[in-house]
Amino acid sequence: MSDRLILGQTLTFAGDPAAVGLGAAQHEANGAVLIRAGHIAQIGPARALRAAYPDAAITDHGEGLILPGFVDAHAHYPQTAIIASWGKRLIDWLNTYTFPEEARFADPAYAALIAARYLDLLLSNGTTTVASYCTIHPQSVDAFFSEAQARGMRVLAGKTCMDRDTAPAFLRDTAQSAYDDSRALLSRWHGVDRLSYIITPRFSPTSTPAQLSALGALWAEHPDCLMQTHLSEQTDEIAWVQSLYPQARDYLDTYEAHGLLGPNGLYGHAIHLEAREIDRLAEVGAALVHCPTSNSFIGSGLFDMGLRDRLRVGLATDTGGGSSFSMLRTMAAAYEIAQLRGTALHPAELLWLATGGSAKSLRLETKIGRLAPGYEADLVVLDLASTSAIAQASARADDIWQAIFPTIMMGDDRAIAQVYVAGHARKP
Ligand code: GUN
Ligand code: ZN
C-alpha cells in the first residue's frame, strides 16, 4: 500500500474550542499528515514522520495550512445558477427565482450539468462534504449522487418534497409519490460508497399534513437517516405557517406532530425560535444549521450562536439563498453576525464550525471534520498569503490565529492551494 506524506502547517482540534477552550487546538508549524488507503494514518511533526516513513511519497505545501476539508451543512445545488439574484425576501425570492429554476431539473441533462458545475465549485473552494437539497425530481438526486460518486466525495442529499398548492403546479409531487420516490432513492443510494440519503420535506408551508406524515413514516422506517428541513427563517414565513397549521403550537410543532422531530433532524436557519421550540429541540438532541450569508442576503435575521450551549450547530452556505459557495466567506459572515449580537467568535471557533462542528451536525464526527488517525483524508490546504491585501495583514501576525484570520475574512478560492478527497488531490 503506497503511503503519502503531506507537509505543511497543521492545525488539529480535539474538540469544540467554544466548549473546551483553546487548549483543544494544536498547531504544528512544520507538520505532516500520513495518508494511507484514503485515510489519515498519522499526524505529527514533519521530521518525525519523514524519519518513520522514509519510503512515503512526499507532497510539500511549504507554509500552507492543512485543515480538514470544509463541511457545508445546508445547501441547494439546484440554485447554483440563480445565486446573487437581486431584491427579494424569502417567499418572493422562492417564487420569482427559485421555483422556475428548480423546474428545469426535470431534464436529467440539465441536472447533471449543474451538479457537476456545483461540485467543482465546492472543491475549488475547499469544501469536501455537503448536505444538499435537490428538487422534486428523482433524476435531480440521481444526477447529484452520480457526480459526487465520480469525484469520490462524501455527500448527503435528498429529493425535496412539496405537494401543497402553495407551491406552483409545475413543481409539485403528492404525499404518496414523495414517499415512494424518497424510499426508492434511499434504497438506491444510502450507504453506497460515500453517499447518504437525507429525507427532505422542503418546509411546512409547501407540504400538506398528509405529506409530512408520509415522510415522518419513512423516517420512522429508516431512523439512521438524517431528515433536513427549514425552520423559522423569516417572520412572514412563521405567520404563514401559523395560518396554514392553525392547530400547531408553533412552527416546530408542525414537524413534531407529523413525526419529523428527532435526534437525526437537521433544521436550517432556526433564527426566530420560541423558548418552547428551543427546549424541545434540545430535549430530542436535534441539530441546527447557521446559514449566515443567506440570513443577511435574504434579510432573515441574526442567528443566536448561544444556542451552541444546548444544541449541535453546523455552518452552511445555503447556496443560492446564500451569496457564496465559499466556507471562508461563510465563516466571515458568521463572525460579522456574531459581532452584531455582541460576541466576537474566535478564529478557532469559526474553523471548528466549518469542519468538526458541521460534521457533528451531520452525525459524521467519527469519519470527517478532524485531522486525526482513522479519519477520512478529506483535506484543504490554505495559502495564508493568497492576495497582497491578505499577505500584508498576515505578515504582522504573532500567532497562527492572527495569521489565519485575514484569510477567513478576506479569502476566496485563491486561498485554496489544494484540496484532497479521500487522499487524492482534486483541486479543479
Ligand atoms: N425555505 C424553503 N425553501 C428554501 C430555500 O430554498 N432557501 C431558503 N433560504 N429558505 C427556504
Ligand atoms: Zn435552504
Side-chain angles (χ1 to χ4, degrees), residues 74-76 79 90 93-94 133 202 228-230 233 268-269 291 294 298 317-322:
H74 178 129
H76 299 254
Q79 298 169 15
L90 177 62
W93 174 85
L94 286 170
Y133 289 64
R202 181 174 217 119
Q228 64 182 351
T229 191
H230 297 85
E233 181 175 358
H269 302 278
C291 307
S294 170
I298 323 186
T317 59
D318 190 32
T319 300

Side-chain angles (χ1 to χ4, degrees), residues 360-383:
K360 218 167 162 180
S361 75
L362 301 175
R363 300 273 185 211
L364 290 172
E365 68 271 24
T366 60
K367 292 187 165 69
I368 57 164
R370 283 185 58 199
L371 292 189
Y375 277 73
E376 295 169 359
D378 288 348
L379 312 171
V380 60
V381 185
L382 296 183
D383 173 358

